[in-house]
Amino acid sequence: MRFFATTFSGLEDIAAAELSNLLSGEAEADVGKVFFTASLEECVKVNYAAQTVNRIFLLLLREHAETLDEIERLAASVDFGEFIDREQSFAVRAERVGLHVFTSLDIAAAVGKAVIDSYRASTGVRLRVDLNNPDIEVYAILRNTELLLGVNTTGESLHRRFYRRGFHRAALSPTVANTLVRLSGWRRHMVLLDPFTGSGTIPLETALYGLGISPGARRENLSFEKIPVFKSIDSARIREELLKREDPGTVEAIGIDVSPKSLNLALDSLETFGRETGVRFVQGDVFRLVEYVDREVDKVVCNPPFGVRLRLREPEKFYTEAFTAIAQACPHASLTVIVNKPVIVLKALEKSGYIPLSVRKVLLGDLSSYIFHSVHV
């Protein structure tokens, strides 16, 4: 069967590489998505184990469409009997990319009508619509003239981790943090430092990645459990096998932040793991970092304050001084940062003695961000 997973634009290749390692076949990177062929058992496995994607959809249809009539006709050609039981409710969530004379709501209405009409024609039953809490969620996206139709097998996004407690206004999505760690080149034997740790997402995701922890296996009510075609799958066995494969050891990941309030959130999340991970948090100022780093660091990975969010008055000065302090405390470590002011950050990196090896643009919702991977010379 065909599936696709959603991720952030600019990170598709990392997500595709992870899914290829989880599956028996290769995953194909696309814009904001990763397509793959898999069994239903493998779909369950991906929902439980994947760390870099947000949702997984069972692909029902991938066709060319330009008008609402074409969208409705194509959707009506799908037999929804395998995916929705007669007594279940459903809803359609729609998304639109490109220029069209209709809206996402129009697409949702057209697909919803098609689902109802198709199901009633084949079963004689009129399905119930529940926009707030549906049993089954049908997803439709029109990307210019390409129509994708799928069933959400995940439910709430996988970026909502089991460990996360509280709210931090500048918190990084855990799936993005996990990808940052991978992009840094960090490996299990290395020491990782996050000097702007905030609520601790990057060190905690380092533990997930390094120890092979399956975040979805610690969640309840994943949507595939309600989809009829998955009823024959022994998901409990798959979950148990994944949990048994997790590494019982620890990683070396350190998070430092000047805010005690943020660190309390990080410590609360760390406690939620319910096991020793090797992650530790320290209160300290990045500009005095040399006072807190007590060992050789291999990788510095961080999400420094974004000027847009925290209104830095002199962002170039701030970044330059921060990167200089990082270089003094961790002279042999590479530096991987995600920022939203690429020109200013590039100047700051160069002034503090770093040479960027790569940069990639990532879309976090409507916010354009940039990941720099640099070494100090």
Side-chain angles (χ1 to χ4, degrees):
M1 304 185 79
R2 289 289 285 170
F3 300 87
F4 65 93
T6 57
T7 186
F8 292 97
S9 179
L11 303 178
E12 300 93 345
D13 58 324
I14 307 301
E18 185 201 10
L19 295 192
S20 294
N21 286 331
L22 289 172
L23 300 166
S24 57
E26 291 294 313
E28 173 192 353
D30 202 277
V31 180
K33 295 172 182 59
V34 176
F35 289 90
F36 58 96
T37 300
S39 65
L40 294 174
E41 289 85 354
E42 287 179 309
C43 175
V44 171
K45 180 182 178 182
V46 170
N47 269 290
Y48 283 150
Q51 300 176 353
T52 64
V53 299
N54 296 323
R55 290 184 173 89
I56 296 95
F57 294 87
L58 196 163
L59 182 62
L60 303 178
L61 181 145
R62 188 180 188 182
E63 296 285 351
H64 177 89
E66 295 186 15
T67 68
L68 285 175
D69 286 343
E70 288 178 319
I71 292 171
E72 184 176 335
R73 176 180 57 78
L74 287 167
S77 69
V78 176
D79 181 359
F80 292 93
E82 290 184 290
F83 313 110
I84 311 175
D85 272 339
R86 298 183 176 203
E87 70 279 4
Q88 288 182 314
S89 62
F90 84 100
V92 178
R93 314 297 187 199
E95 185 180 338
R96 182 179 58 85
V97 179
L99 297 176
H100 305 92
V101 296
F102 44 82
T103 68
S104 298
L105 290 177
D106 293 329
I107 295 173
V111 173
K113 181 177 184 301
V115 173
I116 290 173
D117 291 346
S118 172
Y119 202 90
R120 183 162 49 187
S122 60
T123 67
V125 174
R126 189 185 194 284
L127 287 172
R128 180 166 49 91
V129 176
D130 185 341
L131 298 179
N132 297 318
N133 189 32
D135 295 310
I136 305 297
E137 185 179 83
V138 177
Y139 176 70
I141 177 171
L142 184 66
R143 186 172 53 191
N144 297 316
T145 60
E146 181 188 51
L147 175 66
L148 296 177
L149 199 65
V151 176
N152 185 355
T153 71
T154 304
E156 188 176 53
S157 175
L158 291 171
H159 84 272
R160 298 186 179 276
R161 299 296 205 226
F162 67 92
Y163 62 76
R164 201 157 219 186
R165 294 292 179 269
F167 170 78
H168 190 281
R169 62 173 174 162
L172 188 65
S173 167
T175 51
V176 176
N178 195 288
T179 303
L180 279 179
V181 176
R182 295 168 187 254
L183 285 171
S184 76
W186 178 85
R187 296 294 181 266
R188 173 70 184 281
H189 64 280
M190 297 179 179
V191 178
L192 180 142
L193 171 69
D194 176 6
F196 296 100
T197 203
S199 56
T201 307
I202 289 173
L204 294 169
E205 286 299 314
T206 302
L208 253 70
Y209 175 45
L211 302 177
I213 292 174
S214 297
R218 288 163 168 77
R219 281 182 44 174
E220 296 181 356
N221 303 321
L222 285 159
S223 286
F224 68 77
E225 298 168 355
K226 294 183 179 180
I227 302 174
V229 73
F230 283 88
K231 286 184 178 179
S232 62
I233 305 302
D234 188 354
S235 58
R237 175 188 57 79
I238 298 171
R239 181 201 296 260
E240 193 62 32
E241 288 178 355
L242 287 169
L243 293 175
K244 286 180 180 179
R245 290 178 194 171
E246 294 179 357
D247 192 324
T250 59
V251 299
E252 292 193 81
I254 308 158
I256 296 176
D257 201 275
V258 71
S259 167
K261 183 177 180 181
S262 295
L263 283 179
N264 283 336
L265 292 175
L267 290 168
D268 286 346
S269 294
L270 180 59
E271 185 178 358
T272 305
F273 269 78
R275 54 161 287 183
E276 178 59 39
T277 61
V279 173
R280 58 189 177 98
F281 295 111
V282 178
Q283 185 178 351
D285 190 335
V286 67
F287 302 113
R288 297 163 53 196
L289 192 60
V290 71
E291 299 177 17
Y292 311 107
V293 177
D294 57 4
R295 62 168 306 160
E296 185 81 12
V297 172
D298 301 290
K299 303 290 180 182
V300 176
V301 183
C302 59
N303 172 33
F306 281 17
V308 169
R309 293 179 178 176
L310 299 184
R311 301 185 183 279
L312 296 178
R313 294 181 179 179
E314 298 180 89
E316 185 176 332
K317 180 175 183 290
F318 174 86
Y319 290 133
T320 300
E321 292 179 356
F323 296 157
T324 299
I326 291 170
Q328 290 173 346
C330 314
H332 305 298
S334 64
L335 172 62
T336 304
V337 298
I338 183 168
V339 296
N340 78 331
K341 294 183 177 295
V343 176
I344 289 175
V345 167
L346 181 58
K347 290 179 181 178
L349 286 169
E350 292 173 345
K351 286 182 178 180
S352 53
Y354 283 97
I355 296 178
L357 300 180
S358 66
V359 60
R360 67 166 66 201
K361 182 179 179 180
V362 181
L363 293 179
L364 305 182
D366 295 329
L367 182 65
S368 292
S369 302
Y370 299 82
I371 300 173
F372 286 87
H373 178 63
S374 308
V375 294
H376 193 260
V377 294

